[in-house]
Amino acid sequence: MHGEPVTESVPIERKVTAASAGSYLSLLAGLTVLQAVQADLDLIAWLPDALETLLIPLLPGLASYLAGFKARHTARPDLPLDQR
């Protein structure tokens, strides 16, 4: 019955929670650093401009990936064995 709405609460996978928290915290850390240095661009001046543009936005994604990778899998006993 694929079209029926889900009536019971399904727990959020720990990997999703860890990845979301990792992404948020890394972005918060990045913004904190940018607030602290404000006009002092020497923090990333050693990087070529093209690399600055590519590498800085990758940091939250990398933190999200690593947090999700390291988090334990949430068991789903409500699924059939072949889908666990």
Side-chain angles (χ1 to χ4, degrees), residues 58-74:
L58 284 177
L59 294 177
L62 180 61
S64 179
Y65 172 80
L66 291 174
F69 182 79
K70 294 295 286 177
R72 301 182 119 204
H73 175 69
T74 303

Side-chain angles (χ1 to χ4, degrees), residues 30-54:
L31 289 173
T32 302
V33 169
L34 289 176
Q35 269 304 75
V37 297
Q38 290 184 357
D40 185 13
L41 299 177
D42 290 338
L43 181 66
I44 57 174
W46 57 274
L47 285 172
D49 289 343
L51 281 179
E52 287 177 15
T53 305
L54 294 173

